[in-house]
């Protein structure tokens, strides 16, 4: 034992020891399936830095991992790194000042213009264009650097991860697994490609899936546009927030029950300015109380336009290009000279500039009716984008997800019911997502750093790709990159020539790889013995905001491949919010990087703060005044000092049993705490386990230790060998159990103390049980009652402005009969700690010190 125990520096002491000893290593050789506890750990996105929210949620996972390990389970606790995806590409662009141009050749001697930049507002025009291969090499270089920093932080935090089980979502094994799963989806008819309206981010130039959307409140304006009836009737005025899409109008739609438009259904009108004839149709999605009650259908203004286009079988007259500007090719459906002239004026402009051109022209022609009404309305954005999404027509790859298959949707709902959500109210987010799916899962992305879609297309005699006859590799050939490798049966000289082949340039959505984390971590198909041990997993821990993406897609892939739920439990952490109760996120600029917090307060203190919040509950964090963290540090320090104090009592020779009433009751109270903490951990309630343990620990330190220390020292006036032995045995049994109860929360402090008296790690010791304690008695309330009496005596001395060491000539304690009987059983210990010469008891309505006479002073 050190002379002055300290929590400072324990991370640097014990981290290397755990690694060297393999304390948290998964022992697959001696593991059987029923003895394994497997965790599908979230792989953090390797772009930039981790924030305090990661510390919060990953601590929750670690608490459960440590508990199950102490319960005798072989814990499979891997760590993955989610390398690929848009965040990584954006970070590489800013960090190195480059952008990818796949048309450029590879430069093996390329050196980036600079390194270490973070110019998030830099424009593509200011970035140096480089080849795809050079760009991917930079992505891999930077993600490896980020991952090393992430691992350092997680080790400092004390995560009991088995670092030999790490994986990257972009390495060869992961790419092969993701491509293998896709090929099997394709073979079973679950993956397909289609030309369809696609949500498109004009900044990233990529398709966006339904799960990646978020609504943002944006200013807008209703414009009244006059359509002219072809039968000579009065103009039909519609209200639209997107007048710039007037050239793309394909119909007007009203609700079938709306009496105002009954005579219009089945007839046609001509559009203002462009004079294009379009039908007036009925559809139940038209809102009678919105705008004018009749809507302009354009291809495509929003997702409702897509539904109308599909269900009413309307033509596609899209005018917005992939760059978010009006396309330059002249629409064939516009025949009037004025219409062609006006469209030419719009061509090449952004939607904002095109809108001004249209509104000015409508105003001049008199076809803009009424006043323009400003509004705020929800607009769809890519969750990582900063410009509203457009809807363009593209050829994309999809995987079925139940949106158009009721049987699959029902099955996915059943799988959700089989998974125990913690907390249970999070289940509704999964159910609502499955029920609200409007289209299959779009998995192709027009990006560079990702898992390539493993397909090529044959070129016909005219050099055109035959998309419905894709060429695929065998599983033994995986991983492949069709952009740089020839198709099976061809050589590179046949790329892009008639009769040859064309490689698919798109990569998979990052979730198409991350949805396979159970397979990636468990080495699916490459290590069948390991995979059989860990799959299905016991738990998926994750944040609540990715239930619709990561949780759902993992359930989907597991269902399609194995017809089972991928895990038994899903534990959902809440968010970290700033002092203003706003969610912390990189996009909002209010995140706190945790390394400095860990270095200042210590890992145990930070873990205590995280553990104090229940699953599913948001927690506020103020880096300027981290109260909970300070409380946690105080607890860790107290653990060291209390244990040193207890171990300072030598065990009396021949000590065998706990005999004194106070000692028995303390251990009985501890037994109840063990039962409560165990039940709480089993129910995924780590906060409750910490609460009951911590409350007892402070009672143990503040009351019990004070009450029995004179007897433990053997200095009490009537102490005997037996009573002294009872105190020391009880103290040692209690501290031994308390260290194990606190080990998941304070792994460094408890390991330090445990090492003073044990050869092995506390984290490899067994979780305490009531049966192992020296007594199996039920709590009587004695410890609590005596503790109250002790507080009364201390209060009386304080009121008399006397030192707590002041001897007491006489003291009288009044208490109800039941409490009085309890306290009298511990009168010797109470008199010793209170330095009371003559202690007596009397009946009273409530426990109180009614008389006290201090030496040389009466009160």
């Amino acid at each position: 034992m050190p002379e002055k125990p300290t929590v400072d520096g324990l991370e640097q002491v014990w981290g290397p020891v755990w690694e060297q000893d393999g304390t948290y290593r998964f022992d697959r050789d001696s593991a059987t399936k029923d003895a394994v506890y497997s965790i599908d750990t979230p792989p953090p996105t390797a772009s930039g830095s981790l924030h305090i929210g990661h510390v919060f949620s990953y601590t929750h996972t670690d608490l459960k991992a440590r508990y199950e390990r102490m319960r005798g389970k072989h814990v499979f606790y891997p760590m993955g790194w989610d390398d690929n995806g848009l965040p990584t590409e954006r970070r590489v662009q800013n960090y190195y000042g480059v952008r990818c141009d796949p048309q450029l050749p590879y430069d093996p001697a390329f050196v980036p213009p600079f390194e270490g930049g973070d110019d998030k507002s830099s424009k593509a025009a200011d970035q140096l264009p480089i080849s795809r291969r050079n760009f991917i090499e930079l992505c891999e270089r930077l993600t490896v650097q980020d991952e090393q920093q992430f691992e350092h932080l997680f080790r400092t935090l004390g995560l009991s991860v088995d670092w030999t089980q790490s994986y990257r979502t972009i390495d060869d094994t992961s790419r092969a697994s993701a491509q293998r799963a896709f090929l099997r989806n394709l073979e079973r008819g679950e993956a397909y490609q289609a030309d369809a309206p696609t949500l498109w981010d004009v900044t990233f130039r990529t398709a966006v899936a339904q799960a990646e959307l978020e609504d943002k409140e944006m200013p807008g304006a209703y414009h009244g546009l006059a359509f002219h009836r072809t039968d000579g009737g009065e103009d039909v005025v519609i209200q639209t927030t997107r007048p710039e899409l007037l050239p793309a109008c394909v119909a007007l739609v009203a609700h079938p029950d709306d009496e105002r438009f009954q005579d219009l259904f089945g007839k046609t009108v001509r559009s203002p300015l462009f004079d294009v004839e379009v039908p007036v149709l009925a559809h139940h999605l038209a809102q009678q109380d919105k705008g004018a009650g009749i809507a302009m259908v354009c291809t495509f203004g929003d997702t409702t336009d897509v539904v109308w286009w599909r269900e009413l079988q309307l033509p596609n007259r899209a005018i917005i290009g992939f760059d978010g500007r009006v396309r330059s090719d002249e629409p064939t459906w516009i025949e009037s000279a004025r219409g062609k002239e006006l469209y030419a004026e719009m061509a090449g402009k952004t939607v904002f500039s095109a809108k001004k051109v249209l509104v000015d022209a409508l105003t001049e022609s008199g076809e803009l009716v009424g006043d323009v009404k400003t509004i705020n309305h929800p607009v769809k954005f890519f969750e990582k984008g900063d410009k509203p999404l457009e809807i363009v027509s593209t050829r994309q790859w999809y995987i079925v997800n139940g949106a158009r298959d009721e049987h699959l949707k029902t099955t996915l709902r059943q799988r959700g019911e089989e998974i125990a959500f913690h907390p249970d109210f999070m289940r509704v987010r999964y159910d609502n997502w499955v029920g609200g799916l409007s289209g299959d899962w779009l998995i192709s992305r027009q990006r560079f750093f990702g898992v390539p879609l493993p397909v090529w297309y044959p070129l016909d005699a005219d050099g055109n790709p035959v998309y419905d006859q894709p060429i695929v590799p065998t599983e033994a050939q995986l991983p492949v990159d069709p952009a740089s490798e020839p198709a099976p049966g061809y050589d590179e000289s046949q790329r892009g020539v008639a009769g040859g082949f064309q490689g698919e340039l798109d990569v998979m959505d990052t979730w198409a790889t991350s949805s396979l984390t159970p397979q990636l971590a468990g080495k699916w198909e490459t290590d069948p013995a390991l995979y059989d041990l860990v799959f299905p997993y016991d738990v998926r821990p994750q944040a609540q905001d990715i239930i619709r993406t990561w949780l759902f897609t993992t359930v989907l892939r597991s269902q399609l491949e194995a017809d089972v739920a991928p895990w038994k439990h899903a534990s959902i952490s809440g968010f970290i919010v700033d002092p203003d109760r706003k969610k912390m996120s990189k996009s909002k600029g209010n995140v706190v990087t945790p390394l400095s917090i860990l270095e200042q307060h210590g890992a145990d203190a930070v873990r205590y703060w995280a553990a104090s919040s229940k699953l599913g509950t948001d927690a506020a964090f103020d880096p300027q005044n981290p109260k909970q963290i300070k409380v946690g540090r105080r607890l860790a320090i107290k653990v060291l000092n209390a244990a040193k104090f207890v171990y300072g009592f030598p065990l009396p020779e021949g000590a065998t049993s706990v005999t004194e009433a106070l000692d028995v009751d303390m251990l009985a109270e501890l037994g109840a705490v063990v039962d409560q903490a165990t039940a709480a951990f089993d129910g995924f309630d780590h906060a409750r386990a910490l609460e009951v343990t911590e409350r007892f620990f402070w009672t143990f330190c503040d009351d019990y230790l004070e009450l029995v220390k004179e007897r433990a020292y053997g200095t009490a006036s009537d102490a005997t060998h037996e009573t002294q032995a009872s105190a020391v045995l009880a103290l040692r049994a209690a501290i031994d159990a308390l260290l194990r109860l606190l080990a998941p929360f304070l792994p460094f402090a408890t390991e330090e103390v445990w090492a003073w008296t044990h050869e092995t790690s506390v984290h490899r010791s067994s979780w305490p049980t009531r049966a192992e304690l020296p007594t199996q008695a039920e709590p009587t309330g004695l410890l609590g009652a005596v503790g109250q009496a002790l507080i009364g005596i201390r209060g009386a001395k304080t009121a008399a402005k006397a030192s707590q060491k002041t001897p007491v000539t006489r003291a009288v304690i009044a208490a109800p009969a039941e409490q009085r009987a309890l306290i009298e059983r511990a009168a010797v210990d109470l008199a010793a700690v209170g330095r009371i010469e003559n202690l007596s008891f009397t009946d009273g309505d409530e426990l109180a010190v009614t008389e006290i006479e201090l030496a040389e002073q009466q009160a």
Side-chain angles (χ1 to χ4, degrees), residues 12-46:
Q12 290 72 40
V13 172
W14 289 108
V17 173
W18 293 334
E19 181 64 25
Q20 179 181 331
D21 294 349
T23 304
Y24 308 124
R25 203 76 40 86
F26 176 64
D27 184 8
R28 61 180 293 180
D29 293 334
S30 59
T32 58
K33 190 170 182 62
D34 60 350
V36 168
Y37 191 85
S38 50
I39 303 171
D40 183 15
T41 318
T45 301

Side-chain angles (χ1 to χ4, degrees), residues 324-558:
R325 295 176 179 268
V326 177
R327 291 164 55 172
S328 58
D329 47 323
E330 184 178 281
T332 58
W333 58 89
I334 299 177
E335 299 177 350
S336 70
R338 172 59 180 141
K340 291 182 178 181
E341 179 185 339
L342 185 58
Y343 187 86
E345 190 178 347
M346 296 171 58
K349 285 183 166 55
T350 64
V351 291
F352 179 81
S353 298
K355 179 182 292 186
K356 185 177 188 309
V357 171
L358 255 294
V359 172
D360 289 347
L362 287 163
T363 303
E364 183 180 345
S365 70
E367 292 166 304
L368 184 67
V369 180
D371 296 329
V372 175
K373 302 174 184 177
T374 58
I375 60 167
N376 284 313
H377 63 144
V379 177
K380 294 199 178 301
F381 281 71
F382 175 38
E383 61 186 1
K384 296 179 176 63
D386 52 14
K387 290 184 179 179
L389 293 174
E390 296 294 344
I391 299 178
V392 299
S393 293
T394 60
R395 180 186 58 82
Q396 303 287 347
W397 279 97
Y398 297 83
I399 290 179
V400 297
N401 65 1
R404 297 186 176 91
D405 182 339
E406 281 301 319
H407 176 71
L408 177 57
K409 179 179 286 190
T410 299
T411 303
L412 292 171
R413 280 176 169 152
Q414 290 173 347
R415 291 289 177 250
E417 292 171 0
E418 294 169 10
I419 298 166
F421 281 76
H422 306 280
D424 185 67
F425 66 77
M426 287 293 178
R427 181 190 310 278
V428 71
R429 301 195 180 198
Y430 174 87
D431 294 337
N432 288 345
W433 178 252
V434 175
L437 288 167
S438 60
D440 284 333
W441 179 16
L442 188 157
I443 66 160
S444 49
R445 292 292 181 273
Q446 293 66 51
R447 302 303 300 169
F448 313 111
F449 190 51
V451 177
L453 284 153
V455 293
W456 298 260
Y457 309 102
L459 301 179
D460 63 19
D462 296 323
N464 298 313
V466 185
Y467 289 121
D468 59 357
Q469 297 177 24
I471 304 166
V472 298
T474 64
E475 291 189 7
Q477 293 172 309
L478 302 177
V480 297
D481 182 5
S484 59
E485 300 172 35
Y490 296 81
D491 60 49
E492 191 59 34
S493 67
Q494 295 173 279
R495 183 185 296 273
V497 301
F501 71 92
Q502 172 182 302
E504 175 63 79
L505 297 179
D506 288 357
V507 298
M508 295 187 201
D509 167 22
T510 186
W511 295 113
T513 307
S514 298
S515 60
L516 298 170
T517 51
Q519 289 79 3
L520 301 182
K523 298 180 173 56
W524 172 55
E525 298 289 5
T526 62
D527 190 343
L530 175 64
Y531 192 66
D532 288 345
L533 273 178
V534 301
F535 185 88
Y537 286 63
D538 287 275
V539 64
R540 150 66 68 83
Q542 66 164 73
Q544 57 184 296
D545 57 333
I546 51 175
I547 288 175
R548 72 188 194 281
T549 48
W550 192 35
L551 191 147
F552 168 73
T553 55
T554 309
V555 173
L556 171 66
R557 300 303 283 280
S558 179

Side-chain angles (χ1 to χ4, degrees), residues 19 74 145 371 430 471 514 581 604 695 707 750 804:
E19 181 64 25
H74 293 269
Q145 293 177 21
D371 296 329
Y430 174 87
I471 304 166
S514 298
R581 303 302 297 181
D604 283 349
R695 185 171 60 238
L707 284 163
T750 53
Q804 294 299 324

Side-chain angles (χ1 to χ4, degrees), residues 671-733:
V673 168
V674 168
D675 289 344
Q676 293 171 49
T678 303
F681 261 123
D682 286 341
F684 286 79
D685 192 351
H686 54 255
R688 172 63 178 165
L690 174 59
E691 177 191 0
V692 297
T693 302
E694 182 187 12
R695 185 171 60 238
F696 177 84
F697 175 77
W698 285 113
T699 299
F700 172 80
C701 294
D702 294 344
D703 295 345
Y704 180 75
L705 271 178
E706 289 297 314
L707 284 163
V708 302
K709 64 182 182 182
E710 299 294 336
R711 177 155 51 90
Y713 279 127
T715 57
S717 59
D718 55 352
T720 65
H721 180 275
E722 184 181 59
T723 59
Q724 181 187 13
S726 175
V728 176
L729 282 172
L731 285 166
R732 293 206 169 197

